[in-house]
Amino acid sequence: MRFLVLGASAGGGLPQWNCGCPNCRDARSGKIAAASQSSLAVSLNGRDWAVLNTSPDIRGQMMACPAMHPRDLRDSPLASVLLTNGDIDHIAGLLSLREQTPFTLYATAEILQVLAENRVFDAVNAEKVARQTVRIDAPFALLPGLTAQVFPVPGKVPLFMEGETVQTDLVGEQTVGVRLSDGDTVAYYIPGCADVTADLLARLADADHLFFDGTLWTDDEMVRAGTGAKTGRRMGHISISGSEGSMARLAGLRAAKTFIHINNTNPVWQPDGPERAQVHAAGWTVAADGMEIAT
Ligand code: MLT
Ligand code: MN
Ligand code: ZN
């Protein structure tokens, strides 16, 4: 499997338009690399690609990536899209893919329901872009020879659909992880996850490569940075650090591991910082836009 990180950042990107935090300032000045909102492309043959989540940045992401360029008058190497939840940073890019070029759109019934309830997505012509419902744990061919399966991970409904009270550890069809296999190697894509449960840990045992939610370093990071009132837990994202964090909880896996969907406040963005050294020491890489990974 060939992976291409189209975008490494969480919703908002790095820098985020309205943010003057140290990381956003450094990304604006070019001191650290900027990053677009999370999306991962995968291919077996380098010609046909599937994209996991379509971020609002997808137009620029595809432009920056020669493998995604049209090879004919009206054409795209994009064969399919799979959505892991209904958040804006994962679905809004569909609106940029509305120009009558066919691909297949895969998602759970609940995530497809989010699209159905928001009529602007009718602009993505269903006659060209077939919406295929995927069932939990039922294997399907995301590309010829590439088997995908989705499974529930703890999460919540999309931010824009939250009601008065919000359950942040829902396990169902609204937030899923993806298992990918070419029959030889196995990779997982989990850009949003509220908790590493025993079930999830057991499931990931066969991973050769894991792309995992790296939103925050600490749960109260945004509160302390003064950029927001919400904790990671409230947003449905487990933190990287700490005894209950993802780095500790996933330490036993034999997989190569990459953090993705990283919020702009996360100190792990700093290439020379102690947090980056710590994740490297624990065997993780930090995703960056344009990063290529082969399994
Ligand atoms: C998230 O990952 O929590 C969402 O992207 C939040 C948002 O929609 O801004
Ligand atoms: Mn997000
Ligand atoms: Zn910022």
Side-chain angles (χ1 to χ4, degrees):
M1 285 181 275
R2 288 173 58 177
F3 292 98
L4 183 58
V5 175
L6 296 181
S9 170
L14 172 73
Q16 180 172 307
W17 72 283
N18 61 344
C19 191
C21 80
N23 283 342
C24 286
R25 286 206 308 272
D26 284 351
R28 250 178 230 111
S29 73
K31 190 172 165 226
I32 64 173
S36 61
Q37 296 168 86
S38 64
S39 180
L40 184 69
V42 56
S43 180
L44 295 185
N45 58 18
R47 286 190 313 277
D48 309 299
W49 291 81
V51 166
L52 308 177
N53 293 328
T54 51
S55 102
D57 301 321
I58 195 158
R59 177 179 168 277
Q61 291 171 342
M62 290 177 110
M63 207 157 74
C65 169
M68 291 282 160
H69 293 179
R71 300 146 299 191
D72 214 333
L73 180 60
R74 281 295 164 102
D75 169 73
S76 174
L78 178 70
S80 54
V81 166
L82 172 58
L83 303 175
T84 66
N85 75 3
D87 270 326
I88 288 175
D89 57 337
H90 291 162
I91 66 173
L94 285 173
L95 299 175
S96 298
L97 302 179
R98 70 186 182 285
E99 314 285 2
Q100 308 294 336
T101 286
F103 60 91
T104 309
L105 174 57
Y106 295 99
T108 64
E110 261 190 56
I111 298 170
L112 289 180
Q113 186 63 27
V114 174
L115 303 182
E117 284 170 9
N118 289 275
R119 282 206 55 200
V120 68
F121 290 102
D122 292 356
V124 186
N125 183 353
E127 282 175 20
K128 302 273 183 184
V129 179
R131 296 183 188 186
Q132 294 278 352
T133 305
V134 299
R135 283 177 295 115
I136 295 294
D137 281 327
F140 64 98
L142 183 61
L143 292 170
L146 180 66
T147 303
Q149 269 170 280
V150 301
F151 54 90
V153 296
K156 61 170 185 61
V157 297
L159 177 60
F160 64 92
M161 291 172 67
E162 286 183 4
E164 288 277 299
T165 56
V166 181
Q167 191 185 338
T168 54
D169 59 352
L170 274 176
V171 175
E173 283 206 347
Q174 84 296 325
T175 306
V176 297
V178 183
R179 180 185 189 271
L180 296 168
S181 177
D182 60 1
D184 192 19
T185 57
V186 173
Y188 287 85
Y189 187 60
I190 309 174
C193 183
D195 189 23
V196 178
T197 60
D199 273 2
L200 178 58
L201 198 55
R203 192 185 275 276
L204 298 177
D206 66 349
D208 296 296
H209 204 107
L210 169 65
F211 295 89
F212 194 80
D213 183 346
T215 306
L216 298 181
W217 181 256
T218 46
D219 194 50
D220 62 351
E221 172 179 315
M222 290 178 57
V223 182
R224 283 196 290 118
T227 61
K230 283 185 194 163
T231 61
R233 248 180 233 112
R234 173 61 185 78
M235 295 192 299
H237 295 290
I238 187 174
S239 309
I240 294 178
S241 69
S243 58
E244 291 305 308
S246 55
M247 203 162 41
R249 298 281 292 133
L250 297 166
L253 296 179
R254 65 172 179 83
K257 302 186 282 288
T258 303
F259 282 119
I260 194 164
H261 189 282
I262 303 160
N263 195 57
N264 54 70
T265 51
N266 194 325
V268 84
W269 280 125
Q270 292 290 337
D272 301 321
E275 294 83 3
R276 179 75 68 104
Q278 219 177 306
V279 300
H280 282 175
W284 290 79
T285 53
V286 174
D289 286 25
M291 182 183 268
E292 292 184 38
I293 289 166
T295 59

